[in-house]
Amino acid sequence: MKTDFKLLVAGELVDGVSRFDVINPATEEAFAQCPRADEAMLDRAVAAAKAAQPAWAALSADERGACLHRLADAMEARIEDFGRLLTAEQGKPLDQAMYEIGGSIYTIRAIAGMRLPDQTMRDEGGNTIIEHRTPLGVCAAITPWNFPVILLVGKMAPCLITGNTMVAKPAPTTPLTTLLLAELAADIFPAGVFNVVCDQNELGPRLTGHPDIAKVSFTGSTATGKKVMASAAEGVKRVTLELGGNDAAIVLDDVPARIAAEKVYNGAMANAGQICVAIKRAYVPSAMYDEFCAEIAKLTQAAVVDDGSKQGATVGPVQNKMQYDKVKALIADAKARGTLIAEASAPDKPGYYIAPTVIGGLSDDAPLVAEEQFGPVLPVLTYDDIEDVIRRANDSPFGLGGTVWGMDQLRAMDVARRIDSGTVWVNQHLAIDPNIPFRGSKQSGLGSEHGLAGLMEYTQAHIINAVSLEAEPA
Ligand code: NAD
């Protein structure tokens, strides 16, 4: 596996000012080193992006799109390398890593084909009004450690296709797939169009506060998102924030318990629960509770928790020690307050392994119910009245996603309409699509990613409002 990585600054693949270890969460061992940038290097990256932006914007969207297609092709040619590296740095099982890389390639291609032509808003009586969109300038992408590749390309592709340039900064514990992407990008994009700097969590404020950054697209925790928003205030920068969630799954009373348990289990435990829109609390009718618990217990006990590079592993380690400690503490607290429904077994060896765990009997204010766990543990709660469960699902500062499960699809959609979240899926989960806007409500975010709404966020709209002088009486 590749272990020699460089930053991408002003079109050059460069060493940093120092290096730091990248830990494989399945072994707790350092398997590669990451170059680290300092503030001067970050400033050089921003300056290069600023210098490159006018010429990049002057290309046609088709020319810019062709570069993005070349990047997607280059990633596809290295798809195995990307998948293995992602498993090594992030921990997810290899099939899930390959799925993320495949989805990233698909996302780049889909966004490379999107356009924002001028919109004619009025054209009558000699009055022509058009809305015309221009790039913002240099945009910053700041990404977290749960989906380091797909979350990056979901920012990079719309930024570049609309004529902006970018400085990207990955999370310190998962920087390497971003650097592999940077290595491919170095051969494809004009110097300065796409830059990558890595840090150990200290460069974020300088990047978001930099006077030459026009927009910050941030994905990460709500706490850090608030800091990003505050830092952007000084320059009235554009921000897109994709933050935390505490998504409810509401199981309606007409669903067979076996089907509901399977859907909810998969939605809660994929990527070891480290998904912003993972199912983080499940509400089932009281009358279904025992059967639902018996079914979800079978699935939980069948989990194969192991190194994601091992064939057959269904749940990998959580990504880092800090998250491991946080999730372990939440599980211990929830076990003390509630009733253990099921717990898988985790290997007894080094690695941040947490056995998938399902817990019942918790009150709505228990930390595992009220907070975002971001790990492989799920609380199951009961309800008797649909109005009551809608109120409880909405009683959260978060509003990212959610799911409703019901055989009567129209009834399930009626419930979904009343959930205050950016996305509510009915009888499916994680159907994130580069053509469909994705956004959070309340403290789960600000602005949109994906779709034309996401593309617009990388542009400034200008209204051109013209009348014909000939229409004036002489
Ligand atoms: P985090 O907020 O700790 O870090 C995210 C990124 O911000 C990292 O690159 C980090 O280096 C950087 N950063 C840290 N301090 C900064 C500062 N002051 N200014 C600017 N940047 C700074 O989040 P995390 O722990 O890496 O990720 C987990 C969280 O991300 C979870 O809460 C999860 O729900 C959320 N998340 C949300 C989505 C979404 O689309 N809504 C997707 C994935 C993850």
Side-chain angles (χ1 to χ4, degrees), residues 376-458:
V377 50
L378 176 75
V380 180
L381 304 132
T382 58
Y383 73 90
D384 292 306
D385 172 52
I386 196 71
E387 296 301 321
D388 176 55
V389 76
I390 290 169
R391 181 192 55 75
R392 288 159 70 199
N394 285 333
D395 185 17
S396 167
F398 296 114
L400 191 58
T403 53
V404 182
W405 306 88
M407 301 306 281
D408 180 342
Q409 187 181 324
L410 290 180
R411 178 175 162 235
M413 286 176 71
D414 276 341
V415 175
R417 272 196 191 91
R418 298 177 59 197
I419 302 302
D420 185 4
S421 288
T423 302
V424 184
W425 290 289
V426 172
N427 296 333
Q428 60 173 347
H429 181 238
L430 261 189
I432 292 178
D433 181 324
N435 298 295
I436 305 299
F438 178 77
R439 46 177 82 102
S441 73
K442 299 188 272 185
Q443 293 189 28
S444 285
L446 193 69
S448 299
E449 291 199 300
H450 296 325
L452 291 181
L455 211 59
M456 284 179 197
E457 299 224 351
Y458 287 90

Side-chain angles (χ1 to χ4, degrees), residues 17-247:
V17 292
S18 61
R19 303 180 83 79
F20 60 89
D21 286 342
V22 180
I23 307 290
N24 180 338
T27 62
E28 296 181 47
E29 281 172 9
F31 73 102
Q33 288 204 312
C34 178
R36 189 178 68 82
D38 63 1
E39 292 193 344
M41 216 165 205
L42 169 64
D43 289 349
R44 274 217 309 285
V46 175
K50 187 180 179 190
Q53 197 269 328
W56 177 246
L59 296 178
S60 69
D62 287 351
E63 288 169 314
R64 294 192 295 265
C67 287
L68 286 167
H69 278 291
R70 282 177 61 202
L71 178 68
D73 294 347
M75 287 178 74
E76 196 160 44
R78 299 280 298 271
I79 194 164
E80 283 280 337
D81 294 342
F82 268 103
R84 289 188 189 287
L85 186 60
L86 182 55
T87 291
E89 70 173 356
Q90 204 282 333
K92 63 187 71 187
L94 187 58
D95 58 339
Q96 294 179 32
M98 296 298 282
Y99 190 74
E100 179 177 345
I101 305 301
S104 303
I105 294 167
Y106 175 76
T107 298
I108 295 171
R109 288 183 176 143
I111 295 174
M114 291 182 187
R115 300 290 178 269
L116 290 174
D118 287 353
Q119 297 292 315
T120 302
M121 313 196 90
R122 185 182 297 157
D123 193 11
E124 60 187 21
N127 183 197
T128 303
I129 305 179
I130 59 168
E131 188 182 74
H132 163 69
R133 289 182 173 270
T134 53
L136 298 171
V138 183
C139 303
I142 300 180
T143 44
W145 42 257
N146 58 341
F147 286 89
V149 184
I150 201 160
L151 293 174
L152 172 65
V153 303
K155 301 178 189 311
M156 176 190 187
C159 169
L160 298 189
I161 193 68
T162 45
N164 304 280
T165 54
M166 174 160 268
V167 178
K169 193 205 80 58
T173 54
T174 54
L176 301 180
T177 42
T178 299
L179 293 180
L180 179 55
L181 188 145
E183 187 181 309
L184 304 181
D187 286 338
I188 295 170
F189 294 94
V193 166
F194 180 65
N195 305 267
V196 177
V197 292
C198 296
D199 69 341
Q200 287 189 288
N201 259 339
E202 67 282 344
L203 287 181
R206 184 154 185 115
L207 186 55
T208 58
H210 198 294
D212 289 330
I213 294 287
K215 174 200 165 85
V216 181
S217 180
F218 171 83
T219 300
S221 62
T222 297
T224 310
K226 289 177 183 177
K227 291 185 198 159
V228 170
M229 198 168 168
S231 145
E234 173 61 25
V236 196
K237 294 184 175 142
R238 277 49 184 161
V239 287
T240 304
L241 304 175
E242 302 290 349
L243 309 177
N246 190 8
D247 294 0

Side-chain angles (χ1 to χ4, degrees), residues 247-323:
D247 294 0
I250 298 178
V251 176
L252 300 181
D253 56 8
D254 59 353
V255 188
R258 184 186 57 75
I259 295 177
E262 185 190 330
K263 302 288 188 192
V264 168
Y265 175 83
N266 290 335
M269 302 300 177
N271 207 38
Q274 303 160 113
I275 307 184
C276 52
V277 287
I279 293 176
K280 292 181 180 142
R281 40 195 177 123
Y283 294 89
V284 300
S286 299
M288 193 197 288
Y289 183 72
D290 289 345
E291 208 188 334
F292 180 92
C293 290
E295 294 291 342
I296 205 164
K298 282 188 234 164
L299 296 162
T300 306
Q301 277 139 11
V304 181
V305 184
D306 208 338
D307 185 329
S309 66
K310 283 216 178 130
Q311 204 164 10
T314 59
V315 179
V318 298
Q319 201 279 318
N320 57 69
K321 176 78 165 67
M322 207 204 274
Q323 192 64 18

